[in-house]
Amino acid sequence: MLATGCAQKPKGMPDLAPVTGTVTLDGQPVTNATISFASESGGQVSFGGVDANGKYELRYSGPHKGAMIGPNTVTIATRTDNPVGPDWKDPIPAKYNKKTELKADVKPGPNTFDFQLQSK
């Protein structure tokens, strides 16, 4: 007899760990932003939205939360609902998105990564 409700990972799903945290810019919560973790070993990227308090939780795919275990490159960018013009500049500096310098090493079990960004 098969048990239902088991938390087995689907075949081919990488090892994931829960990832949450807070994002601030110059000491203030970042709002209306997205955060992504891209594993340095490849595969799908985990994403999350940053809420009004600067808090986020990553989702890998569908109901699967978390990010791939191991080193990840982190990108944080302002969320835009419409296409932006060529002169638009993200208020979050490029060193956190287009030219990100952010890294996070996801370990098995719950992970908390707080990012304290600086505009200068």
Side-chain angles (χ1 to χ4, degrees), residues 72-119:
N72 282 260
T73 299
V74 180
T75 303
I76 303 170
T78 300
R79 180 180 9 222
T80 56
D81 294 329
N82 299 310
V84 294
D87 295 333
W88 184 81
K89 186 175 183 215
D90 192 331
I92 298 173
K95 66 182 176 180
Y96 305 122
N97 46 63
K98 291 180 205 170
K99 299 177 182 179
T100 189
E101 301 170 356
L102 299 174
K103 303 282 184 189
D105 192 10
V106 177
K107 304 287 186 193
N111 292 263
T112 301
F113 295 104
D114 295 329
F115 296 97
Q116 298 170 348
L117 313 181
Q118 299 296 317
S119 60

Side-chain angles (χ1 to χ4, degrees), residues 14-32:
D15 290 330
L16 303 175
V19 176
T20 60
T22 304
V23 181
T24 59
L25 180 64
D26 297 330
Q28 298 300 310
V30 169
T31 61
N32 195 37

Side-chain angles (χ1 to χ4, degrees), residues 31-100:
T31 61
N32 195 37
T34 59
I35 184 167
S36 64
F37 278 49
S39 174
E40 291 183 5
S41 65
Q44 186 167 319
V45 175
S46 294
F47 286 94
V50 180
D51 72 14
N53 298 311
K55 302 219 177 279
Y56 71 90
E57 178 178 29
L58 294 182
R59 182 170 300 280
Y60 180 77
S61 170
H64 307 288
K65 294 180 179 180
M68 290 177 63
I69 293 172
N72 282 260
T73 299
V74 180
T75 303
I76 303 170
T78 300
R79 180 180 9 222
T80 56
D81 294 329
N82 299 310
V84 294
D87 295 333
W88 184 81
K89 186 175 183 215
D90 192 331
I92 298 173
K95 66 182 176 180
Y96 305 122
N97 46 63
K98 291 180 205 170
K99 299 177 182 179
T100 189

